[in-house]
Amino acid sequence: MDPELDDTAAIDDTTVPHDYSDESSTFGDRLVLAREALGLTQKQLAGRLGVKLKTLRHWEEDRAEPRANKLMMLAGMLNVSIVWLMSGDGAQPEFADSMTGTTIMDAITELRRLRAEQVRVMQRMEILEKRLEELL
């Protein structure tokens, strides 16, 4: 187990949805809502994103914001739009306990497909960035 992702002091944070209202929500509030909608713990999401648990907590507490590449990964993994995640505009996710087993499996399958696609896009972006740097 990656020691940076170790969370021995964490509690199960998926049991009770956080309070949420469109008018006063922050990026962190929406991130928590989307994570909980998929039934993920902070530790699980941090591991899937490849970030430290502390980093994810800072995002959820509005003490920091992710870089663009992590923001894109977050939106894809959480099946929400970047616009909704950043501003709250658009449809918000439904909570996992209101989904049927088939819907959850479909969502997981789509999430895995999007994650693989995201990796390919990020690799292509890195290649393009290197080419641009060489031109400078």
Side-chain angles (χ1 to χ4, degrees):
M1 168 133 220
D2 186 345
E4 292 182 352
L5 300 177
D6 185 31
D7 183 29
T8 54
I11 58 170
D12 180 7
D13 55 0
T14 62
T15 55
V16 179
H18 288 72
D19 289 333
Y20 177 84
S21 70
D22 289 329
E23 300 82 35
S24 64
S25 70
T26 64
F27 169 81
D29 295 333
R30 290 183 293 275
L31 177 55
V32 170
L33 181 70
R35 177 180 55 75
E36 289 177 347
L38 291 177
L40 296 173
T41 65
Q42 288 178 329
K43 183 177 180 180
Q44 288 170 325
L45 182 57
R48 291 177 185 183
L49 287 168
V51 299
K52 294 179 181 179
L53 181 58
K54 180 179 177 181
T55 299
L56 181 64
R57 285 188 176 149
H58 283 181
W59 295 344
E60 289 190 354
E61 295 167 0
D62 293 308
R63 294 170 54 190
E65 289 186 352
R67 293 184 180 179
N69 64 331
K70 293 297 183 187
L71 181 61
M72 288 173 41
M73 289 176 67
L74 269 171
M77 287 182 183
L78 298 173
N79 198 28
V80 297
S81 73
I82 292 175
V83 172
W84 179 82
L85 202 51
M86 293 301 294
S87 68
D89 292 337
Q92 71 182 49
E94 295 179 21
F95 284 100
D97 60 358
S98 66
M99 301 173 112
T100 65
T102 303
T103 306
I104 292 171
M105 289 309 297
D106 290 343
I108 289 171
T109 300
E110 177 68 5
L111 187 61
R112 288 178 180 156
R113 187 192 64 75
L114 288 171
R115 188 178 309 134
E117 184 179 324
Q118 177 68 33
V119 168
R120 287 190 300 273
V121 169
M122 292 304 297
Q123 289 170 343
R124 290 178 24 216
M125 288 174 64
E126 287 174 9
I127 291 169
L128 180 59
E129 183 178 12
K130 287 177 185 177
R131 286 183 187 165
L132 289 171
E133 287 174 353
E134 290 173 0
L135 293 174
L136 292 177

